[in-house]
């Protein structure tokens, strides 16, 4: 399900890479409830291509601050040198290279004999590009491509993009004269079809070569989206083609960063979603996508599915996998075992896509149960299967399990909970904006 990693894990900016018979994800590392992006470690998770639901953690693979198990992997530490948005590629020599973006400090390249690391410092970037172009050597959001001819390219930027060729003999030296600025423009232009603000570059470069075409996946100025452009050359010019996913559709959006990968013949887009009512504490999610013969990628909606084809309504569903949160409600983590949708108010909508209710045509009704925490208010949770209201669950002031009988449905359905109250008249003002209850999990039963 989404999030596809354990629900206590916060890996945003995910770069999926297929090495051998496994899919690896490299990203930043957030913490639950944090008031900032990222921390001082990078982690790696991987799963077999044969079953991308079975993820294993390979631990911390690189550090910019000493912790209980590791010294720092760099010796130019500052006070706030968090690690943001890395990339890992297999070099022409068969080794694996980590491209690190370090806030407030020059970025670097690290190397390992294994895709899961750990990675050891190779060098800071060596370059003659003007510092105003490469953000004083930060090389923000590096995305790296090793082309079929063995040449290596790095793509970076924040609010303005640039690319350059990397010396494939050492993998950290930027070749003089190879820098190209604004390969994705930051101002509107008819050239390449970048005619609208939502097509323009903001951050989050991720290059891929698919069927001989060079794709640049990036976060545009509408930052909740992942957009993409294509070219016949690794150095452009690029043509805007559209966007793939938007993490702000019917959900509390924020920045977005990710890429695409092919697993067992099926293409997926990896991205992240926010928790805790902030734009931080981001968790990795994934959706199936299709790459059409003309190279376009139709936009996909956010779901709760992850690598699943559908969810089972007759198994207990954790509430924090919601893919629709309209209103004031948000997901939060109290501890590693306890997560809930909280701050639920009158008019809010909480949704899950998609459940397969099966083909039982004999049952006219079924039961619905939810585990809630009351907050001293009374309200109603209207239960919808797609656009059809199938029942109402009354919620009181106390917590525990609430139950109701609902209409039995069949087939593949989205499930939505729409919240209402009966407070009216002049006293209703005292309940306006009140948190009505918290939702932990739910299930349908026959």
């Amino acid at each position: 399900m989404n999030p596809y990693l354990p629900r206590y894990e916060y890996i945003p900016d995910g770069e999926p890479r297929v090495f051998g018979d496994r899919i690896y994800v490299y990203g930043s590392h957030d913490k639950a409830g944090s008031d900032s992006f990222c921390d001082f470690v990078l982690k790696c998770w991987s799963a077999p291509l044969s079953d991308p639901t079975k993820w294993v953690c390979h631990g911390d693979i690189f550090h910019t601050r000493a912790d209980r198990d590791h010294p720092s992997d760099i010796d130019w530490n500052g006070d706030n040198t968090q690690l943001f948005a890395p990339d890992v590629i297999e070099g022409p020599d068969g080794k694996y290279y980590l491209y690190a973006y370090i806030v407030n400090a020059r970025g670097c390249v690290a190397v390992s004999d294994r895709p899961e690391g750990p990675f050891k410092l190779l060098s800071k970037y060596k370059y003659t590009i003007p510092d105003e172009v490469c953000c004083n050597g930060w090389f923000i959001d590096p995305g790296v491509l090793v082309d079929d001819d063995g040449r290596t390219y790095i793509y970076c930027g924040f609010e303005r993009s640039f690319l350059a060729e990397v010396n494939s003999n050492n993998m950290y030296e930027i070749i003089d004269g190879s820098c190209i600025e604004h390969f994705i423009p930051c101002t509107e232009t008819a050239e390449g079809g970048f005619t609208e603000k939502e097509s323009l570059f903001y951050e989050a470069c991720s290059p891929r070569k698919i069927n001989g075409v060079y794709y640049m996946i990036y976060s545009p100025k509408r930052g909740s989206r992942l957009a993409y452009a294509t070219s016949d050359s690794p150095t452009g010019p690029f043509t805007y083609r559209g966007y793939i996913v938007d993490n702000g559709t019917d959900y509390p959006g924020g920045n977005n960063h990710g890429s695409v990968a092919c697993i067992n013949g099926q293409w997926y887009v990896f991205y992240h979603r926010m928790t805790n009512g902030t734009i931080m504490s981001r968790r990795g999610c994934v959706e199936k996508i299709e790459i059409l013969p003309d190279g376009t990628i139709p936009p996909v909606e956010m779901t709760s599915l992850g690598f699943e084809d559908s969810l089972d309504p007759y198994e207990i569903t954790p509430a924090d996998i919601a893919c629709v949160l309209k209103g004031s409600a948000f997901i939060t983590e109290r501890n590693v075992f306890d997560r809930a949708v909280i701050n639920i108010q009158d008019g809010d909508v909480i949704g899950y896509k998609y459940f397969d209710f099966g083909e039982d045509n004999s049952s006219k009704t079924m039961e619905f149960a939810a585990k809630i925490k009351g907050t001293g208010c009374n309200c109603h949770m209207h239960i919808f299967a797609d656009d059809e209201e199938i029942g109402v669950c009354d919620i009181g002031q106390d917590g525990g399990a609430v139950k109701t009988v609902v209409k039995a449905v069949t087939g593949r359905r989205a499930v939505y909970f729409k919240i209402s109250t009966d407070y009216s008249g002049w006293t209703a003002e005292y309940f306006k904006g009140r948190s009505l209850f918290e939702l932990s999990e739910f299930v349908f039963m026959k």
Side-chain angles (χ1 to χ4, degrees):
M1 299 180 289
N2 274 332
Y4 60 89
L5 294 178
R7 288 156 46 231
Y8 62 78
E9 182 64 287
Y10 294 79
I11 303 291
D13 308 325
E15 280 288 344
R17 293 289 187 179
V18 174
F19 297 128
D21 60 358
R22 300 186 70 83
I23 175 76
Y24 294 81
V25 169
Y26 308 89
S28 309
H29 185 234
D30 281 356
K31 292 184 177 179
S34 176
D35 63 351
S36 65
F37 295 115
C38 310
D39 60 12
F40 302 89
V41 304
L42 299 177
K43 298 175 74 173
C44 174
W45 288 77
S46 76
L49 294 178
S50 59
D51 188 351
T53 68
K54 297 190 180 303
W55 291 86
V56 296
C57 181
H58 299 288
D60 300 348
I61 62 173
F62 197 74
H63 316 75
T64 54
R65 178 180 286 183
D67 59 28
R68 68 174 185 241
D69 292 333
H70 316 88
S72 174
D73 288 305
I74 64 173
D75 59 7
W76 62 97
N77 301 55
D79 291 334
N80 295 300
T81 51
Q82 293 103 320
L83 284 158
F84 282 24
D87 196 10
V88 172
I89 52 91
E90 184 177 5
D93 58 359
K95 294 184 178 181
Y96 298 89
Y97 293 87
L98 166 70
Y99 290 79
Y101 160 27
I102 305 172
V103 179
N104 301 316
R106 289 197 174 188
C108 63
V109 183
V111 65
S112 176
D113 292 327
R114 302 175 300 185
E116 68 271 21
F119 289 83
K120 297 300 180 184
L121 177 67
L122 182 62
S123 174
K124 293 182 182 180
Y125 296 111
K126 302 295 184 184
Y127 63 92
T128 58
I129 302 171
D131 280 346
E132 61 268 22
V133 174
C134 65
C135 299
N136 297 313
W138 292 19
F139 282 72
I140 292 177
D141 291 356
V144 184
L145 173 75
V146 179
D147 208 350
D148 299 335
D149 59 5
R151 296 174 71 177
T152 304
Y153 302 88
I154 190 168
Y155 307 78
C156 300
F158 173 69
E159 296 186 332
R160 54 179 289 168
S161 63
F162 73 95
L163 68 84
E165 186 172 354
V166 181
N167 186 340
S168 293
N169 292 322
N170 58 39
M171 301 302 285
Y172 59 81
E173 180 185 14
I174 306 300
I175 295 176
D176 286 347
S178 67
C179 180
I180 298 174
E181 295 185 67
H182 304 299
F183 65 89
I184 303 293
C186 57
T187 57
E188 294 174 13
T189 175
E191 186 175 354
F194 297 91
T195 57
E196 299 179 353
K197 180 179 178 180
E198 58 194 29
S199 68
L200 303 178
F201 184 83
Y202 186 67
E203 61 182 358
C205 295
S206 182
R208 294 291 186 270
K209 188 175 184 179
I210 303 170
N211 299 326
V213 177
Y214 297 88
Y215 284 73
M216 178 52 56
I217 297 151
Y218 64 99
S219 176
K221 290 192 174 181
R222 185 169 176 173
S224 57
R225 288 183 172 181
L226 287 183
Y228 71 107
T230 60
S231 176
D232 294 329
S233 165
T235 57
F238 285 88
T239 299
Y240 178 70
R241 306 300 293 274
Y243 77 96
I244 305 172
V245 70
D246 187 336
N247 71 24
T249 301
D250 295 334
Y251 193 89
N255 65 12
N256 211 342
H257 191 144
S259 196
V260 299
C262 186
I263 302 174
N264 294 332
Q266 171 66 57
W267 283 95
Y268 295 88
V269 59
F270 289 69
Y271 66 105
H272 60 236
R273 294 205 291 249
M274 319 300 156
T275 65
N276 208 40
T278 70
I279 58 172
M280 281 73 76
S281 299
R282 301 158 295 175
R283 298 190 296 181
C285 294
V286 66
E287 308 291 349
K288 290 182 179 179
I289 62 171
E290 183 181 8
I291 300 180
L292 301 180
D294 66 357
T296 57
I297 305 173
V300 294
E301 62 181 350
M302 289 198 302
T303 74
S304 303
L305 294 175
F307 291 100
E308 303 290 349
D309 292 325
S310 61
L311 304 179
D312 186 347
Y314 311 116
E315 295 285 344
I316 294 173
T317 298
D320 67 293
I321 69 165
C323 61
V324 173
L325 289 174
K326 297 171 69 173
S328 302
F330 59 86
I331 294 162
T332 198
E333 177 180 309
R334 294 189 180 91
N335 57 61
V336 70
F337 302 106
D338 187 2
R339 287 160 214 87
V341 179
I342 71 168
N343 199 42
I344 301 170
Q345 299 182 21
D346 188 15
D348 285 2
V349 178
I350 307 164
Y352 304 82
K353 301 174 182 177
Y354 289 92
F355 290 94
D356 186 353
F357 284 89
E359 296 302 327
D360 176 4
N361 294 301
S362 66
S363 300
K364 294 182 179 180
T365 61
M366 57 184 173
E367 285 189 305
F368 170 84
K371 183 180 179 181
I372 65 113
K373 180 179 180 181
T375 59
C377 298
N378 299 304
C379 65
H380 310 289
M381 184 161 64
H382 301 260
I383 304 163
F384 286 77
D386 294 334
D387 296 328
E388 178 185 7
E389 184 171 337
I390 60 173
V392 180
C393 190
D394 296 328
I395 295 175
Q397 302 166 29
D398 200 358
V402 294
K403 294 176 67 176
T404 191
V405 175
V406 300
K407 177 184 175 181
V409 294
T410 60
R412 194 171 189 260
R413 304 286 193 101
V415 169
Y416 301 98
F417 306 135
K418 300 183 179 181
I419 312 305
S420 71
T421 67
D422 294 327
Y423 299 119
S424 62
W426 67 270
T427 58
E429 284 297 313
Y430 291 95
F431 294 92
K432 188 176 181 179
R434 288 277 295 271
S435 174
L436 300 171
F437 70 101
E438 299 176 3
L439 177 64
S440 296
E441 50 193 7
F442 62 91
V443 69
F444 293 87
M445 300 171 289
K446 290 185 178 179

